[in-house]
Amino acid sequence: MKLSESFLKTPLAELSVKDFVSLMSEYKSESEVTSKKLFDEDVWISGYKSLAMYLHCSVPTVCRLVKSGKINPAIRKIGATYWFDKNMIRDLMKV
């Protein structure tokens, strides 16, 4: 479903139930596709321990690497979990 400009300009309180349900289903389908693409298992690593295993080094070495700021563009923090982009880390580290 394509969202028209007039539909997007309508205040939420003025939407009919049918319009609201269609809007929410469209939003949900788009967010599922985005989250699947964003956290694809082949691209992202979760946590310091997993990154240490990927880089074949120790966890304290990963801590020093993160603190140094060399891989900051490859880090995403969601809640208390750090996510690392493998491809970007490989490019930044020249591994």
Side-chain angles (χ1 to χ4, degrees):
M1 171 185 151
K2 288 284 186 178
L3 300 176
S4 66
E5 191 68 30
S6 63
F7 185 67
L8 292 174
K9 288 182 179 180
T10 306
L12 191 60
E14 293 179 9
L15 289 176
S16 68
V17 174
K18 182 180 178 182
D19 292 338
F20 180 73
V21 169
S22 64
L23 180 67
M24 291 307 293
S25 65
E26 181 71 22
Y27 174 75
K28 184 178 178 184
S29 65
E30 286 180 9
S31 67
E32 286 174 356
V33 170
T34 305
S35 65
K36 284 180 184 177
K37 188 191 315 183
L38 182 61
F39 293 107
D40 187 14
E41 289 298 323
D42 297 335
V43 179
W44 292 89
I45 302 171
S46 169
Y48 282 18
K49 192 173 184 179
S50 299
L51 181 61
M53 288 175 21
Y54 176 71
L55 294 176
H56 304 290
C57 64
S58 65
V59 174
T61 302
V62 169
C63 291
R64 284 194 300 272
L65 184 64
V66 170
K67 279 188 174 185
S68 72
K70 292 180 182 177
I71 61 169
N72 277 353
I75 299 172
R76 300 288 178 263
K77 184 177 180 187
I78 300 174
T81 305
Y82 284 91
W83 290 87
F84 303 96
D85 185 348
K86 283 183 184 179
N87 298 332
M88 199 177 291
I89 286 176
R90 186 178 57 241
D91 293 342
L92 291 171
M93 299 289 297
K94 308 275 193 273
V95 175

